[in-house]
Amino acid sequence: MSTLALKGSYWVTVRQYRRTLWTAGALVALSLAVIGGLRIWSGRIPDRRLPDGTWVPADESRGYEMLRLAMEYAGTGLILLPLLAGAFVAGPLVAREFESGTYRLGLTQSVTPTAWLRAKVLTAGGAALAITVVLMGVYRIGWTRVSGSYQLSWGDRGPYEATGIVLVAYVLAAVAVGALVGQLIRRTVLAMAATGLVMGLVLFVLGSLRWGFVAVETVTGPVRRGGAPLDVPDNGIMTDLGMLTRDGERVEGWSCVDGASPETCGAPTDVVGQYVDYHPESHFWPTQLIEAGILLALAALALLAAFRLLRARLP
């Protein structure tokens, strides 16, 4: 057991932030109790079967609606988790040490600057990784019951991050960025705000670009009566739709209903059909792997810059 015990700077870091770790553990346990309880409650009323053979929750299943609402909030919370992890590393873990000067005490205990920062990054990264994985497991307990409902499909924000590997990559990238920003700014509150801003920007940019990582698939067909678009196969997510002209050109955006004059809806006169671009569910893992690779590359660059900066300032 003694070989497994934390030693040196690792022990100091855990000891210093043990209350934060206990608080995080309590919140994880609370989330498990809430989601688990709602999942059990939602199953007390049997589902009803539709004429087409599919099963849906009973109309009177209040437990299901409560679980669905909880999963929407849970998805949002997990998306914000990298911001919290990065802000904690940048502020209390790194910047406050420089702001107060307490890092000098650690460096007097036969600890090199590189070993000091490595202990903080590895300890924070390990704790954040463990908490993230457990929360993702808790999320799956509830999501498997409500998956496919409004805003809880596999490609929606929240379920996409929480049911794959990109959330882990986001958290690791946040830890690395926090270690760099904390050294650059050296002011606790400013470092936390800057790291949150950087990771928020990363979340926004990658969230906007992710469905361009893999080529879309396309389904075409005639213009339907009533103007309804084509059905998206393979439980896919639609990315674009529009009309097709006789020479194969696309007119983006939905417009004409069957039988309506092109002048009325502003469409060309030679419209012969419609198209829908979509990502099938099979694109989930390729997209996850590409996005996670980008994030891990960002984490590696941030860590490299953080250690180089530390050696330059504290040789």
Side-chain angles (χ1 to χ4, degrees):
M1 289 294 293
S2 60
T3 59
L4 299 177
L6 294 172
K7 298 178 181 179
S9 299
Y10 298 92
W11 181 87
V12 172
T13 303
V14 172
R15 182 74 177 173
Q16 187 177 5
Y17 297 101
R18 62 188 184 279
R19 291 184 179 178
T20 303
L21 293 174
W22 278 111
T23 301
L27 291 176
V28 170
L30 177 61
S31 66
L32 176 60
V34 172
I35 298 301
L38 289 175
R39 174 63 190 267
I40 294 173
W41 183 19
S42 69
R44 295 186 63 182
I45 300 178
D47 294 345
R48 59 188 178 88
R49 188 172 184 176
L50 297 178
D52 61 1
T54 59
W55 292 86
V56 296
D59 295 335
E60 64 273 18
S61 180
R62 182 169 177 78
Y64 178 87
E65 293 302 323
M66 292 291 293
L67 177 62
R68 230 189 60 78
L69 181 62
M71 296 312 299
E72 290 184 10
Y73 283 112
T76 302
L78 288 178
I79 292 175
L80 297 178
L81 187 60
L83 277 68
L84 296 176
F88 177 78
V89 172
L93 205 66
V94 176
R96 190 167 64 185
E97 295 277 341
F98 288 103
E99 186 176 19
S100 63
T102 53
Y103 73 96
R104 297 189 182 93
L105 177 62
L107 299 182
T108 62
Q109 307 301 314
S110 301
V111 176
T112 64
T114 299
W116 171 80
L117 182 61
R118 182 170 61 242
K120 289 188 172 294
V121 170
L122 289 179
T123 302
L129 182 61
I131 292 170
T132 301
V133 171
V134 173
L135 286 176
M136 289 171 63
V138 173
Y139 184 89
R140 272 195 172 274
I141 292 175
W143 183 74
T144 53
R145 171 65 172 156
V146 299
S147 61
S149 59
Y150 178 65
Q151 293 186 336
L152 289 171
S153 179
W154 63 271
D156 290 326
R157 296 303 298 262
Y160 171 84
E161 289 84 359
T163 57
I165 60 173
V166 296
L167 186 60
V168 172
Y170 271 112
V171 169
L172 293 179
V175 171
V177 170
L180 174 61
V181 174
Q183 288 188 78
L184 288 172
I185 297 180
R186 297 192 173 198
R187 294 291 184 270
T188 304
V189 176
L190 289 179
M192 294 175 69
T195 303
L197 180 62
V198 170
M199 289 309 303
L201 182 62
V202 172
L203 279 163
F204 174 77
V205 171
L206 289 182
S208 301
L209 298 178
R210 66 171 51 122
W211 299 120
F213 296 154
V214 180
V216 298
E217 297 187 11
T218 302
V219 60
T220 61
V223 178
R224 291 181 171 181
R225 186 175 299 278
L230 298 172
D231 296 327
V232 180
D234 302 325
N235 194 26
I237 55 172
M238 183 187 302
T239 61
D240 188 24
L241 77 168
M243 297 176 295
L244 294 171
T245 62
R246 186 171 292 106
D247 57 3
E249 293 184 0
R250 290 186 169 195
V251 181
E252 295 185 357
W254 182 244
S255 46
C256 286
V257 297
D258 187 28
S261 63
E263 294 79 9
T264 302
C265 59
T269 58
D270 56 348
V271 169
V272 295
Q274 61 175 312
Y275 72 92
V276 170
D277 290 337
Y278 71 100
H279 284 285
E281 193 170 2
S282 60
H283 286 185
F284 175 80
W285 282 111
T287 304
Q288 288 264 329
L289 291 172
I290 294 172
E291 188 170 352
I294 295 172
L295 289 165
L296 293 178
L298 172 64
L301 291 174
L303 281 178
L304 178 62
F307 280 99
R308 283 185 176 274
L309 178 63
L310 183 69
R311 285 194 291 268
R313 289 182 171 178
L314 301 174

